[in-house]
C-alpha cells in the first residue's frame, strides 16, 4: 500500500498568498506516522505534487488544506483525474471541519479526516483496506472520519484531541529534501505544543448561537470548569477556532522536540520555528496537571521548562554556531515579564516574535472577544522584549463582529502608542468567519465605520513603512529563491522579503547571500547583492 501526503496548506487557489517560506507541522506529522507504521510513504509540497507524473503508483492520497485553500484542492483533484488516479482520496487539515461542504462539493473525495489526525490515522493504518471496502460497519471503528454513502454524509464520531503523551511519541517526517523545493530556504514549523490555553468566551447575549447566561464558568479558577459552557459557546477568542479544533494546550516532551529538530537539520533545514498558538504555554500544562490548561494568563510562564527546552536546542552545534536559526512563533502578552523577556533574549536575540492584541479596546477584548489580554499587557511586552533584543510584531483585526466607533478609535490610538515603542511591524488582518468559532455565523462587516477603517489602515501603513526605513543601509543575510526571472531573499533572522537586484542568472536558489538594503516598500525591502556566502 503506497501513501502520498500532499502539503497544500495556505496555497489558496494554487499559489501562496502569504509567508511563502512557511512549512507547517501538520503534513509532516501525518507522513511521519504513516512512515513509522511501515508503509511506503512520500510527502510532497503542492508545487512538487503538480510536477509529479506518476500518480497511479499511489493507493491513498491524503491532502492537507485550510478553509481558504479549496481552489487548490480543485486543482489537485483535476490533476489526479487527469493522471487516472484510481485510489482513495482523503482530505484533512483545518478545512476538515467543513466536511459537509467538502463531501458535497467534491464528489472525488472519499473521506475527510476531521480534526487532529493521530488517533483516526492509527485506526486506518491497522487495516487500510477498510477504506477501499467502504463497509459502514467497519468504517464506524475509525473515529472522526466523514464520508458519503449514496446521498447522505456520515461522521463516525466527534473529533478527538490527541493526548500529550501521544504527541511526544510521534516522529514527524523530516526527509525534507524530497518534499520541498528550496528546502534550505524554508522555515520548518516544529510543534512544541498543541492547543490553546484560552477557554474564556465572548460573553454576548441576544444573538443566534451567542446566549451567555453570565454563569462565569469560563472564568472559573477551576481549570476543569472552564471546559464546558452551558450556553454551548465555543471556547476561546470569538474569531479563533484553535481551542475548539485542538483543545487545551498540551506540551510535547523536550526529547521529542529536540530529536525532530536534529533530524531536520541533518536533512538540510536552516530555519526552525518553535510552533505553538502561544510559545509561553510551553510546560505550563505540567504545572496544573492533571487539570487541563485553560487559563491563558495564570499560572505564570514555566521559566524552567522553557529554559531547559531552549538550552537543549541551543546545545546542538549548528544552532550554537548560528548556521541554524531558531524562532518562536506567537506569545501571549499577559505572560511576559522581565524574567521571561530576558530568558527569550538569552536565546532568541535578533529574531521576531508575534503578539496578538486584536483591538486596543480592553473591554471589547475581554467581554466581546473573550480574550483577557489588554493593550497595557502588549505595550509592556513590546517594551520588555525589544529591551532584551527581540523584534516584536503585533497583530490587529478589523471588521470583527460588534466592533464600534470606540473600538476603532481605541485601536488607532494604540497603534500610535506602539509606534513609539520597539514594535517592528503591525499586521492588520481582515476578520474572516471560521467554523468552530463563537462568531461562526457572523460575517465580516465595517458598515458605518468605513472612515475609521481607512484611518486605521493608513496609520498602520505609515508605522510599517517608517519602521522598515530602519533597514536602509543595513546588510542582511538572506536565502535566495529564483522565481519568474527574479530573486527573492528570505532573511535568515526572518522579516520582510527582500527583492534582490544585482544577480540575474538562475542557479543561486537555496544559496545564502549578503545583501545591502537600499529601499523599502509597504510589504518588502529592496536590496543589492554584495556576496554569495554559501551554496
Ligand atoms: S460564555 Fe458560557 S461559560 Fe462563559 S459566562 Fe457565558 S454562559 Fe458561562
Amino acid at each position: 500500500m503506497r501513501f502520498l501526503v500532499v502539503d497544500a496548506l495556505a496555497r489558496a487557489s494554487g499559489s501562496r498568498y502569504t509567508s511563502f517560506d512557511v512549512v507547517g507541522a501538520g503534513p509532516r506529522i501525518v507522513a511521519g506516522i504513516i512512515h513509522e507504521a511501515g508503509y511506503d510513504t512520500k510527502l510532497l509540497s503542492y508545487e512538487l505534487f503538480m510536477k509529479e507524473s506518476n500518480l497511479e503508483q499511489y493507493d491513498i492520497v491524503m491532502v492537507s488544506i485550510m478553509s481558504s485553500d479549496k481552489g487548490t484542492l480543485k486543482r489537485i483533484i483535476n490533476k489526479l483525474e487527469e493522471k487516472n488516479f484510481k485510489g482513495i482520496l482523503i482530505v484533512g487539515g483545518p478545512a476538515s471541519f467543513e466536511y459537509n461542504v467538502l463531501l458535497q462539493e467534491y464528489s472525488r473525495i472519499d473521506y475527510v479526516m476531521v480534526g487532529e489526525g493521530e488517533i483516526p490515522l492509527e485506526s486506518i493504518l491497522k487495516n487500510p483496506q477498510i477504506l477501499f471496502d467502504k463497509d459502514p460497519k467497519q468504517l464506524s471503528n475509525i473515529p472522526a472520519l466523514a464520508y458519503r454513502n449514496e446521498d447522505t454524509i456520515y461522521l463516525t464520531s466527534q473529533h478527538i484531541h490527541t493526548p500529550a503523551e501521544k504527541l511526544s511519541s510521534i516522529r514527524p517526517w523530516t526527509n525534507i529534501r524530497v518534499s520541498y523545493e528550496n528546502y534550505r530556504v524554508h522555515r520548518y514549523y516544529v510543534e512544541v505544543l498543541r492547543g490553546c490555553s484560552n477557554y474564556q468566551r465572548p460573553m454576548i447575549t441576544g444573538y443566534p448561537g451567542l446566549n451567555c447566561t453570565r454563569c462565569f464558568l469560563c472564568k472559573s479558577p477551576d481549570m476543569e470548569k472552564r471546559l464546558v459552557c452551558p450556553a454551548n459557546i465555543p471556547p476561546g477568542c470569538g474569531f479563533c477556532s484553535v481551542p475548539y479544533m485542538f483543545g487545551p494546550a498540551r506540551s510535547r516532551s523536550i526529547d521529542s522536540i529536540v530529536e525532530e529538530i536534529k533530524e531536520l537539520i541533518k536533512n538540510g533545514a536552516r530555519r526552525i520555528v518553535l510552533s505553538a498558538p502561544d510559545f509561553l504555554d510551553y510546560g505550563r500544562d505540567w504545572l496544573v496537571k492533571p487539570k487541563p490548561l485553560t487559563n491563558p494568563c495564570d499560572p505564570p510562564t514555566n521559566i524552567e521548562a522553557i529554559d531547559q527546552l531552549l538550552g537543549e536546542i541551543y546545545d546542538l552545534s549548528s544552532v550554537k554556531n548560528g548556521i541554524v536559526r531558531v524562532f518562536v512563533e506567537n506569545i501571549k502578552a499577559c505572560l511576559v515579564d522581565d524574567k521571561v523577556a530576558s530568558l527569550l533574549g538569552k536565546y532568541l536575540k535578533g529574531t521576531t516574535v508575534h503578539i496578538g492584541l486584536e483591538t486596543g479596546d480592553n473591554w471589547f477584548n475581554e467581554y466581546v472577544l473573550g480574550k483577557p489580554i489588554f493593550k497595557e499587557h502588549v505595550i509592556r511586552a513590546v517594551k520588555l522584549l525589544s529591551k532584551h533584543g527581540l523584534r516584536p510584531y503585533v497583530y490587529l483585526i478589523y471588521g470583527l463582529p460588534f466592533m464600534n466607533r470606540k473600538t476603532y478609535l481605541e485601536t488607532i490610538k494604540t497603534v500610535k502608542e506602539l509606534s513609539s515603542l520597539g514594535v517592528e511591524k503591525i499586521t492588520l488582518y481582515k476578520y474572516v468567519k471560521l467554523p468552530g468559532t463563537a462568531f461562526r455565523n457572523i460575517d465580516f462587516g465595517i458598515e458605518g465605520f468605513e472612515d475609521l477603517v481607512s484611518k486605521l489602515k493608513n496609520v498602520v501603513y505609515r508605522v510599517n513603512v517608517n519602521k522598515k526605513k530602519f533597514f536602509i543601509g543595513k546588510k542582511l543575510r538572506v536565502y535566495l529563491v529564483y522565481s519568474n526571472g527574479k530573486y527573492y531573499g528570505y532573511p535568515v533572522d526572518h522579516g520582510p522579503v527582500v527583492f534582490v537586484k544585482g544577480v540575474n542568472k538562475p542557479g543561486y536558489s537555496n544559496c545564502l547571500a549578503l545583501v545591502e538594503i537600499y529601499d523599502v516598500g509597504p510589504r518588502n525591502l529592496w536590496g543589492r547583492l554584495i556576496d554569495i556566502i554559501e551554496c
Side-chain angles (χ1 to χ4, degrees):
M1 196 77 73
R2 297 204 73 191
F3 285 78
L4 172 65
V5 179
V6 183
D7 173 2
L9 292 169
R11 296 324 197 271
S13 298
S15 57
R16 293 208 189 220
Y17 44 90
T18 180
S19 305
F20 298 87
D21 55 341
V22 165
V23 172
R28 288 198 305 104
I29 291 173
V30 169
I33 293 172
I34 304 169
H35 177 70
E36 287 294 307
Y39 290 96
D40 196 333
T41 316
K42 197 167 183 183
L43 166 66
L44 288 179
S45 66
Y46 166 72
E47 293 74 20
L48 286 181
F49 166 82
M50 291 308 274
K51 291 180 185 168
E52 178 94 350
S53 50
N54 205 1
L55 289 172
E56 61 279 8
Q57 63 175 308
Y58 299 105
D59 301 292
I60 298 178
V61 171
M62 303 181 77
V63 180
S64 192
I65 57 163
M66 309 209 291
S67 298
S68 50
D69 301 328
K70 295 191 192 89
T72 295
L73 177 63
K74 181 104 190 55
R75 284 167 191 250
I76 290 172
I77 291 173
N78 288 346
K79 165 106 185 181
L80 288 171
E81 285 180 342
E82 209 177 90
K83 295 287 171 191
N84 219 11
F85 171 70
K86 295 272 183 264
I88 294 292
L89 175 60
I90 308 177
V91 174
S96 62
F97 288 88
E98 295 175 76
Y99 61 87
N100 263 311
V101 177
L102 291 170
L103 289 165
Q104 267 159 15
E105 283 185 18
Y106 305 92
S107 58
R108 183 59 188 84
I109 298 175
D110 297 286
Y111 300 99
V112 176
M113 213 164 64
V114 181
E116 298 173 54
E118 289 82 4
I119 307 278
L121 199 49
E122 232 169 42
S123 297
I124 289 173
L125 294 175
K126 279 183 195 147
N127 180 12
Q129 185 58 38
I130 290 178
L131 298 178
F132 293 85
D133 297 345
K134 301 194 169 175
D135 171 6
K137 212 166 151 205
Q138 285 189 309
L139 288 173
S140 67
N141 295 322
I142 303 170
L145 193 72
Y147 62 96
R148 194 188 317 97
N149 190 352
E150 292 176 359
D151 283 339
T152 310
I153 288 166
Y154 296 89
L155 175 64
T156 54
S157 80
Q158 279 300 305
H159 61 286
I160 297 174
H161 300 313
T162 310
E165 302 69 45
K166 193 164 279 301
L167 294 179
S168 299
S169 71
I170 296 161
R171 296 189 61 193
W173 177 270
T174 51
N175 191 4
I176 49 177
R177 286 172 198 249
V178 304
S179 305
Y180 296 94
E181 285 177 305
N182 306 317
Y183 62 89
R184 276 203 346 179
V185 176
H186 293 299
R187 279 180 290 150
Y188 294 93
Y189 279 53
V190 170
E191 196 174 40
V192 297
L193 67 96
R194 188 176 295 174
C196 178
S197 59
N198 183 24
Y199 267 65
Q200 282 197 208
R201 291 155 171 89
M203 291 174 68
I204 294 170
T205 35
Y207 202 91
L210 289 170
N211 276 311
C212 171
T213 59
R214 296 279 196 278
C215 70
F216 291 95
L217 279 177
C218 62
K219 284 172 168 284
S220 167
D222 182 338
M223 299 269 190
E224 213 145 26
K225 288 195 174 144
R226 290 176 174 233
L227 285 174
V228 181
C229 164
N232 276 330
I233 298 174
C237 303
F239 58 87
C240 175
S241 54
V242 170
Y244 172 78
M245 289 185 181
F246 301 106
R250 289 102 69 207
S251 304
R252 282 176 76 196
S253 71
I254 292 178
D255 286 353
S256 65
I257 298 167
V258 174
E259 195 51 39
E260 184 183 344
I261 294 175
K262 251 195 228 168
E263 288 299 311
L264 282 168
I265 294 174
K266 214 188 278 172
N267 283 297
R270 291 289 177 263
R271 297 193 300 157
I272 304 288
V273 180
L274 304 178
S275 165
D278 175 4
F279 178 73
L280 297 181
D281 276 347
Y282 188 73
R284 281 212 307 130
D285 51 328
W286 301 337
L287 302 175
V288 301
K289 232 172 148 181
K291 301 258 180 187
L293 182 66
T294 51
N295 185 330
C297 303
D298 189 52
T301 309
N302 188 340
I303 300 245
E304 291 73 28
I306 290 181
D307 198 10
Q308 201 186 334
L309 171 67
L310 291 175
E312 292 204 18
I313 294 170
Y314 275 77
D315 268 349
L316 301 173
S317 58
S318 45
V319 178
K320 202 188 284 178
N321 63 25
I323 292 174
V324 172
R325 289 300 267 158
V326 174
F327 311 86
V328 296
E329 192 183 4
N330 307 304
I331 57 171
K332 286 192 179 80
C334 61
L335 291 169
V336 178
D337 60 17
D338 196 55
K339 262 193 191 157
V340 171
S342 146
L343 174 66
L344 295 180
K346 176 174 152 196
Y347 295 103
L348 302 162
K349 201 168 271 167
T351 65
T352 56
V353 56
H354 298 79
I355 307 167
L357 173 60
E358 328 313 349
T359 87
D361 181 341
N362 291 348
W363 185 89
F364 184 88
N365 283 6
E366 168 95 54
Y367 292 102
V368 180
L369 294 185
K371 180 179 185 115
I373 293 172
F374 310 134
K375 71 174 187 183
E376 290 76 14
H377 290 130
V378 174
I379 285 171
R380 183 187 62 183
V382 165
K383 277 186 192 163
L384 291 172
L385 292 165
S386 45
K387 176 180 137 193
H388 289 284
L390 285 112
R391 297 159 52 202
Y393 283 28
V394 173
Y395 293 130
L396 297 172
I397 310 182
Y398 72 98
L400 279 162
F402 314 110
M403 275 182 105
N404 55 27
R405 292 196 83 76
K406 176 176 167 276
T407 318
Y408 279 111
L409 287 169
E410 293 279 343
T411 307
I412 293 167
K413 208 168 119 199
T414 308
V415 172
K416 289 179 181 165
E417 282 177 68
L418 285 169
S419 75
S420 63
L421 306 171
V423 74
E424 181 171 308
K425 188 185 171 208
I426 291 171
T427 305
L428 178 62
Y429 282 111
K430 179 179 174 180
Y431 161 74
V432 178
K433 73 169 178 187
L434 291 175
T437 68
F439 296 163
R440 63 199 175 280
N441 298 321
I442 315 177
D443 288 314
F444 164 83
I446 56 166
E447 224 179 288
F449 311 116
E450 293 87 345
D451 55 331
L452 293 177
V453 170
S454 95
K455 198 168 172 191
L456 176 60
K457 284 184 180 174
N458 286 337
V459 177
V460 168
Y461 175 87
R462 278 204 303 276
V463 170
N464 288 344
V465 170
N466 276 335
K467 292 282 172 185
K468 276 203 194 73
K469 285 188 183 150
F470 156 86
F471 284 104
I472 292 181
K474 295 254 177 326
K475 289 179 182 145
L476 295 184
R477 292 189 308 147
V478 299
Y479 285 106
L480 295 175
V481 173
Y482 188 73
S483 173
N484 294 326
K486 292 179 196 147
Y487 273 102
Y488 298 88
Y490 293 91
V492 167
D493 284 336
H494 188 44
V497 175
V498 183
F499 294 172
V500 181
K501 297 283 162 193
V503 48
N504 296 318
K505 54 176 188 178
Y508 291 114
S509 281
N510 261 330
C511 292
L512 179 63
L514 190 67
V515 296
E516 183 171 347
I517 305 304
Y518 65 88
D519 202 0
V520 300
R523 287 170 164 266
N524 64 284
L525 305 173
W526 296 84
R528 251 177 239 103
L529 180 80
I530 295 180
D531 192 16
I532 301 284
I533 301 172
E534 188 200 356
C535 280

